[in-house]
Amino acid sequence: MGILQKWGRKRMAQGAIAAREQGETTYVHRLASSSQQIQDRYTAVIESEGWKLAGIHEDPSRPRERWVMTFKRADEASGTTAQSSEPA
């Protein structure tokens, strides 16, 4: 992966990483582009950070960030939770 690709991937994932580190259960990402290829690229990068796409919809009131992608934590989206191995 080239330097510009690494930089771009880092920029795409920045908000998702911050939300995960803050303990958020939902992450909302907004895009200006309706291109399926760009949406798929963002989805792949964000899902690689522990999120699962929950939905996408158009918000015409915000033309510069028209597409709203909502992600849930992957462990919560699948209905599983981390369990401690220590006895209770």
Side-chain angles (χ1 to χ4, degrees), residues 4-18:
L4 289 177
Q5 288 174 321
K6 285 181 183 178
W7 178 82
R9 188 181 197 300
K10 183 178 178 181
R11 295 279 299 150
M12 281 188 234
Q14 210 168 25
I17 292 168

Side-chain angles (χ1 to χ4, degrees), residues 9-83:
R9 188 181 197 300
K10 183 178 178 181
R11 295 279 299 150
M12 281 188 234
Q14 210 168 25
I17 292 168
R20 183 188 66 222
E21 289 175 351
Q22 294 173 5
E24 301 291 334
T25 58
T26 303
Y27 172 63
V28 176
H29 189 85
R30 295 180 177 272
L31 286 176
S33 177
S34 63
S35 165
Q36 188 64 45
Q37 184 179 13
I38 292 173
Q39 290 176 1
D40 289 347
R41 197 173 318 158
Y42 271 88
T43 299
V45 169
I46 293 170
E47 285 185 344
S48 74
E49 295 298 332
W51 298 92
K52 181 83 175 147
L53 183 64
I56 185 168
H57 69 275
E58 186 176 6
D59 180 2
S61 69
R62 296 181 71 166
R64 289 188 176 256
E65 296 175 324
R66 182 175 295 261
W67 296 95
V68 181
M69 303 169 75
T70 305
F71 294 85
K72 298 282 185 187
R73 290 294 303 261
D75 53 354
E76 292 182 10
S78 65
T80 61
T81 57
Q83 304 231 347

